[in-house]
Amino acid sequence: MKQIDLDDLPPRVAQILSRLETGEELVLVQGGGLVARLTVATAPPPPDLLSDLPPEEAMAEVMDQFKAMIEDEF
């Protein structure tokens, strides 16, 4: 099975994929031709990865993610 981490994708693509609902289809096209059709079997709950961290570490993680997003954009 292939796996793609949403953090490795461009922000717009990651946003589209993370908002797909159960049963919704995603069509991938290239040059006007159908490449793949994906159907969401079960939409995962949004991750709450920062709730287990102390407040200082959670803020540091948020700032690191923000910095990475800015660097990816520019």
Side-chain angles (χ1 to χ4, degrees):
M1 177 172 77
K2 304 285 184 189
Q3 180 174 329
I4 299 173
D5 189 338
L6 291 180
D7 294 331
D8 295 335
L9 297 173
R12 183 168 176 238
V13 174
Q15 182 182 28
I16 290 169
L17 292 173
S18 66
R19 291 185 177 172
L20 292 172
E21 299 290 329
T22 302
E24 193 171 359
E25 285 189 346
L26 174 72
V27 178
L28 302 176
V29 284
Q30 183 177 24
L34 179 66
V35 175
R37 182 183 305 253
L38 308 171
T39 303
V40 179
T42 305
D48 189 14
L49 305 175
L50 301 177
S51 64
D52 297 337
L53 298 175
E56 298 82 19
E57 289 181 36
M59 180 55 72
E61 179 66 27
V62 168
M63 294 306 291
D64 286 343
Q65 291 177 7
F66 178 73
K67 180 181 174 188
M69 288 174 24
I70 294 297
E71 289 173 352
D72 286 346
E73 287 292 321
F74 300 104

